[in-house]
Amino acid sequence: MKLNRSMKLGLIVAISIIALFVLSLLISQAPAGSDNSVRFGILTLLPPLVAIGLAFITKETVLSLFVGVFVGEFMLCVNDLNIVSTAVNAFLQMGSQIIACMADPWNAGIILQCLLIGGIIQLVTKMGGAKALADAFAKRADTPRKAQLFTWILGLCVFFDDYANSLIVGPIMRPVMDKLKVSREKLAFVVDATAAPVAGIAIISTWIGLEISLIAAGFKSVGVTNVTGFGIFLQTIPYRFYNIFILIFIVISSLTLYEFGPMKKAEQAARQRKDDEEIIVPEAPGFDEVKPVDGIKLSVWNAIIPIGTLIIGALIAFYWSGYTTILGGEDQALITLMKTSPLSFNGIFQALSASDASVALFQAALLASIVAIVMAVCEKILTVEDAISEWIGGMKTIVITGVILLLAWSLGGVIGDIGTADYLVGVLKNTLPQFIVPALIFVLGALISFATGTAYGTMSILMPLAIPLAWAVSTGDMGFTIVCTSGVLTGAIFGDHCSPISDTTILSSMGTSCNHIDHVRTQIYYAVFVACVAIFIGYIPAGIGMPWYICIPVGIIVMFIGLRLLGEKVDFEEVEA
């Protein structure tokens, strides 16, 4: 056995050295220039493909991301065929890249708020609030259908941020789903599919500021100044076919209990589980081992108050962050609005649009943490020392998520440096028939987002290219350009939804205590199915001129028929039989 392992290790090392040498040879022969997308060509796809491929093969997310980042840094450091010096330089650059990602204020805020929310969840669990809330939900959500629909409704309620959605809804609904023998994979899918797709179309969310600013800048670049970014944003909502269809697909799947692909196998295995059988999910960070303190009286308020503080505090923090940002800025119209009508709909909207989501969520999570600790001490459930210890223990559960996020961001940074997105845009934006352009933009957004793991970055890259392209091929048709604009926004979310290196996908796995690769593997079949409906029933007909109020009903019917044809019902009666 030792010999076999040694031989395997030696073979892997030998193949790796040969691959790095070939890579160095290909890059060193390419003409050096400022545009890495031209210099590397198709090799720009290598780092994300390596990371994604290894993730599926090895099911080791950290290792896969690490190798992907290293390959990207290696490509950037190639000057000659000396792979030893190149590898050393790549390793050093990799360290700098990870530190730079950690030093970024947005990234640091996201990691800190994730850690704090982890501490809150553990405190709520120890106080019995999570179990009381799960028991209360279980009385109403007493079937797999109701439980999945209840999770969907909760996901819609936490509309303001996709990160908060994943970290709040998953831990609350996991005990209910486990009791009703719904798989962790299906729970992770419902949570993930109600995170970014909801936040992306909500008129009050942490996404809208970026979206409307990109839209406004894109239309300004083609000389259209008589429209507002928010006005165009509202007009794109009916054409957000993927967002709308994925939310409706959850309802159809929940009501019919039809599943297909790996999700069907996961659901069948969950239904066949014995009532007293312990659920063991390998490589799944979560809060499964945490139990309420013995002998305490269970109360839903021990969950509602801390989590309510988090949600309400986040909305207030969003508003205050944007309010102070506007007053400290130079836009006199917005400053006047904040001084005269700060609580009007437009005032609240502008404040939320200008807010720093990572800072606001951290502030809200810190406040909710203090509230949870005070409640635990005042109710004599925990001492001050024990409450703080449990709070820190919850943070430890999230550490692996922080590591994965840092590596995912580092991979995104390397991918940006080598020009992956620019290469994809250059290859796919060739002259095409006008009606196919919205679908092409959707696919292009999906590819960039899948490869980079970020919807925000994809929107920022593609929007300045998509709006001028749509405006040019349609000779200034506003309706057609709006459809193409929605293609950018939804394509980015679809790719992010499928990508194993996406932060929201990672957080959904963590929040539901589901193995990350199992979540990606089961979800991707459903996401691709819905995306195909969005393309062929949504964006291609809309590119021809078909109105959205025809596309959406037809798309719903096609999804229902497709699910019945592809899927199989997974129900209690069939399992018992």
Side-chain angles (χ1 to χ4, degrees):
M1 181 63 70
K2 290 183 179 179
L3 181 62
N4 289 337
R5 288 180 178 176
S6 300
M7 290 178 63
K8 289 180 181 179
L9 181 60
L11 185 62
I12 291 172
V13 171
I15 293 174
S16 300
I17 292 174
I18 294 171
L20 291 177
F21 180 81
V22 172
L23 184 62
S24 300
L25 182 64
L26 293 173
I27 294 175
S28 61
Q29 290 180 346
S34 58
D35 190 347
N36 282 333
S37 65
V38 175
R39 178 190 175 196
F40 296 127
I42 196 172
L43 292 177
T44 61
L45 301 176
L46 193 58
L49 288 179
V50 167
I52 293 167
L54 279 177
F56 279 103
I57 294 170
T58 66
K59 295 190 176 182
E60 293 288 343
T61 307
V62 173
L63 174 64
S64 304
L65 289 171
F66 183 91
V67 174
V69 176
F70 177 79
V71 169
E73 293 291 359
F74 185 90
M75 291 172 61
L76 291 170
C77 293
V78 169
N79 290 317
D80 49 39
L81 296 181
N82 188 341
I83 63 172
V84 175
S85 64
T86 303
V88 171
N89 291 331
F91 182 80
L92 296 176
Q93 285 296 112
M94 184 176 177
S96 300
Q97 179 72 251
I98 294 173
I99 291 173
C101 288
M102 185 64 196
D104 181 89
W106 172 271
N107 294 347
I110 294 301
I111 290 179
L112 287 174
Q113 61 103 349
C114 287
L115 292 173
L116 292 181
I117 292 175
I120 295 166
I121 293 170
Q122 180 135 329
L123 279 172
V124 166
T125 304
K126 294 298 291 185
M127 290 192 295
K131 188 176 189 307
L133 202 59
D135 291 344
F137 287 158
K139 292 177 182 178
R140 295 168 176 80
D142 53 358
T143 67
R145 287 187 178 92
K146 292 180 181 178
Q148 292 177 59
L149 290 175
F150 215 102
T151 306
W152 179 77
I153 292 170
L154 282 178
L156 296 183
C157 291
V158 189
F159 58 86
F160 57 88
D161 185 74
D162 52 332
Y163 295 147
N165 183 305
S166 299
L167 292 172
I168 292 173
V169 179
I172 289 176
M173 292 305 299
R174 188 181 62 245
V176 180
M177 294 290 211
D178 288 348
K179 183 178 180 180
L180 295 171
K181 300 180 181 179
V182 178
S183 67
R184 295 279 178 88
E185 290 86 348
K186 188 60 183 291
L187 172 60
F189 164 66
V190 177
V191 169
D192 205 352
T194 54
V198 172
I201 58 177
I203 62 172
I204 297 176
S205 75
T206 55
W207 288 58
I208 193 170
L210 173 70
E211 290 175 317
I212 63 175
S213 63
L214 292 173
I215 292 170
F219 276 93
K220 185 178 180 180
S221 68
V222 295
V224 180
T225 57
N226 59 342
V227 298
T228 64
F230 182 59
I232 298 297
F233 170 87
L234 292 178
Q235 293 181 64
T236 65
I237 291 177
Y239 296 99
R240 306 283 193 94
F241 294 117
Y242 179 77
N243 299 46
I244 295 169
F245 286 155
I246 196 71
L247 293 173
I248 296 173
F249 177 81
I250 296 172
V251 177
I252 296 173
S253 174
S254 302
L255 290 175
T256 62
L257 295 180
Y258 268 70
E259 314 287 351
F260 65 86
M263 188 71 79
K264 182 180 73 174
K265 296 179 181 178
E267 283 290 270
Q268 288 173 336
R271 296 287 201 278
Q272 293 169 348
R273 190 177 63 242
K274 296 179 180 178
D275 291 336
D276 57 349
E277 184 179 346
E278 183 181 0
I279 301 174
I280 300 175
V281 183
E283 302 294 330
F287 304 89
D288 287 338
E289 299 80 12
V290 183
K291 305 294 181 185
V293 175
D294 292 334
I296 64 171
K297 182 180 179 181
L298 300 180
S299 172
V300 295
W301 295 107
N302 286 344
I304 292 174
I305 292 177
I307 294 174
T309 301
L310 175 63
I311 294 173
I312 296 172
L315 292 173
I316 294 173
F318 287 147
Y319 176 83
W320 181 252
S321 172
Y323 177 83
T324 53
T325 300
I326 290 173
L327 290 183
E330 300 179 355
D331 192 323
Q332 293 302 319
L334 290 180
I335 292 174
T336 302
L337 175 65
M338 287 295 107
K339 289 181 177 179
T340 57
S341 305
L343 297 179
S344 64
F345 175 81
N346 190 32
I348 294 173
F349 167 76
Q350 294 294 344
L352 293 177
S353 299
S355 66
D356 187 329
S358 65
V359 174
L361 279 170
F362 170 71
Q363 294 167 336
L366 183 59
L367 175 62
S369 298
I370 294 171
V371 169
I373 292 172
V374 170
M375 287 181 65
V377 174
C378 291
E379 294 179 21
K380 298 182 179 179
I381 297 173
L382 298 168
T383 63
V384 174
E385 293 81 6
D386 289 341
I388 293 176
S389 177
E390 293 293 344
W391 181 59
I392 294 173
M395 292 187 197
K396 292 178 181 177
T397 309
I398 311 294
V399 168
I400 184 63
T401 304
V403 172
I404 293 173
L405 286 174
L406 274 176
L407 287 173
W409 289 327
S410 300
L411 181 60
V414 170
I415 287 169
D417 291 339
I418 65 177
T420 303
D422 292 338
Y423 173 77
L424 285 172
V425 171
V427 168
L428 298 175
K429 72 173 184 180
N430 296 326
T431 56
L432 290 167
Q434 178 179 328
F435 76 91
I436 206 72
V437 171
L440 173 68
I441 289 174
F442 174 84
V443 172
L444 183 57
L447 289 172
I448 295 172
S449 185
F450 183 82
T452 60
T454 168
Y456 276 24
T458 301
M459 293 175 185
S460 302
I461 292 166
L462 194 54
M463 191 69 79
L465 300 170
I467 291 179
L469 174 63
W471 190 261
V473 299
S474 65
T475 62
D477 186 332
M478 178 61 76
F480 181 84
T481 308
I482 288 172
V483 174
C484 293
T485 302
S486 74
V488 175
L489 303 174
T490 51
I493 289 175
F494 163 57
D496 181 82
H497 205 185
C498 294
S499 177
I501 61 175
S502 159
D503 45 10
T504 49
T505 308
I506 293 164
L507 290 176
S508 296
S509 302
M510 190 284 301
T512 56
S513 292
C514 177
N515 178 276
H516 179 58
I517 301 304
D518 287 343
H519 166 45
V520 175
R521 184 173 53 85
T522 52
Q523 174 170 272
I524 197 169
Y525 281 76
Y526 286 3
V528 170
F529 170 71
V530 173
C532 289
V533 176
I535 291 171
F536 293 106
I537 310 298
Y539 285 111
I540 292 178
I544 299 172
M546 185 175 293
W548 62 267
Y549 51 80
I550 294 178
C551 296
I552 291 178
V554 173
I556 294 172
I557 295 171
V558 169
M559 283 194 299
F560 178 79
I561 295 173
L563 183 59
R564 295 298 293 265
L565 293 175
L566 294 172
E568 180 181 344
K569 190 173 184 180
V570 184
D571 206 350
F572 285 108
E573 290 78 9
E574 293 186 4
V575 171
E576 291 171 0

